[in-house]
Amino acid sequence: MQLKDKVVLITGSSQGIGKEAAILFAKEGANVAVTYNTNKKKGEDVFKECNKIKRSFLIHLNVCDEKSIKECVEKVVDKFGAIDILVNNAGVISWKNFVEQNSKEIDFQINTNLIGLIKMTKAVLPYMQEQNESMIINIASGAGKTAHKGLSTYCATKFGVRGFTQTLALELPKIKIYSVNPGLTATKMTNFKGMDPRKVGEVIVNTAKEKYKIESGGDVDVWEYVK
């Protein structure tokens, strides 16, 4: 897909992987809808950087709130007239063995990482189905392919994201849908240990450009493309 003038909506784009992807999409000439949940200042910083390059938009989004999802999608469409690419990036984690996780921690991970992603996709699809070319990039994880001690609920959500991606690709053959699977990445979620998030952002953008020649529904394992 050619990214110039495409409209890209990225959930959780005020920091980390989402931030880096937003800036890189803007550099490719895309109009970027930058979203934030709890930290408006960080969202504003990313928006300003993107908007210097290409017309962008800043909007609040809580993927755990259906009203927030609906309002976000409607405002982006009102602003740009379309949503060509959805990057479902928002995510949270609890680094605890399952017996140590409380109900709030379990619910927060499931509602953000999986249910929120599914509902965000549901809200965007009516607009995408009217277009000739559109794409959904779901940020899953290496922890959605291999179990990791201390990440039981997180792994469950990311395995779920990959299953959702694969099934949706079968149901919606006109829309390109991919799971991008980062390994350990240096963001707030990992106490800034791991790969540079900009490298993950580059893989997300290359996925949107269909550089990797992967069939819709497939996995884009970041570690295969960043050495």
Side-chain angles (χ1 to χ4, degrees), residues 14-131:
S14 63
Q15 59 186 338
I17 292 170
K19 168 188 173 180
E20 300 299 339
I23 295 166
L24 290 168
F25 271 113
K27 288 180 177 179
E28 292 284 340
N31 302 111
V32 182
V34 176
T35 67
Y36 70 93
N37 184 14
T38 59
N39 196 321
K40 186 176 182 180
K41 176 63 168 61
K42 286 187 176 181
E44 288 173 340
D45 290 344
V46 179
F47 162 73
K48 288 174 183 176
E49 190 161 353
C50 291
N51 203 48
K52 285 188 296 185
I53 308 165
K54 182 70 174 177
R55 187 165 69 110
S56 300
F57 186 45
L58 176 66
I59 187 167
H60 175 261
L61 171 64
N62 177 0
V63 298
C64 297
D65 183 332
E66 286 191 53
K67 182 180 178 183
S68 179
I69 290 172
K70 183 175 183 291
E71 289 178 351
C72 172
V73 171
E74 289 177 350
K75 287 178 180 178
V76 173
V77 173
D78 285 345
K79 176 75 172 180
F80 294 115
I83 298 173
D84 299 296
I85 301 171
L86 170 65
V87 181
N88 280 312
N89 169 73
V92 296
I93 197 168
S94 179
W95 294 88
K96 294 179 180 179
N97 287 342
F98 185 65
V99 295
E100 298 167 344
Q101 293 183 33
N102 59 42
S103 294
K104 184 177 180 180
E105 291 166 333
I106 292 168
D107 288 347
F108 191 34
Q109 291 174 90
I110 294 172
N111 290 335
T112 303
N113 301 354
L114 184 56
I115 296 175
L117 179 150
I118 290 171
K119 290 183 176 179
M120 192 75 203
T121 302
K122 182 75 170 177
V124 169
L125 278 179
Y127 302 99
M128 285 192 164
Q129 288 176 303
E130 297 175 357
Q131 297 166 200

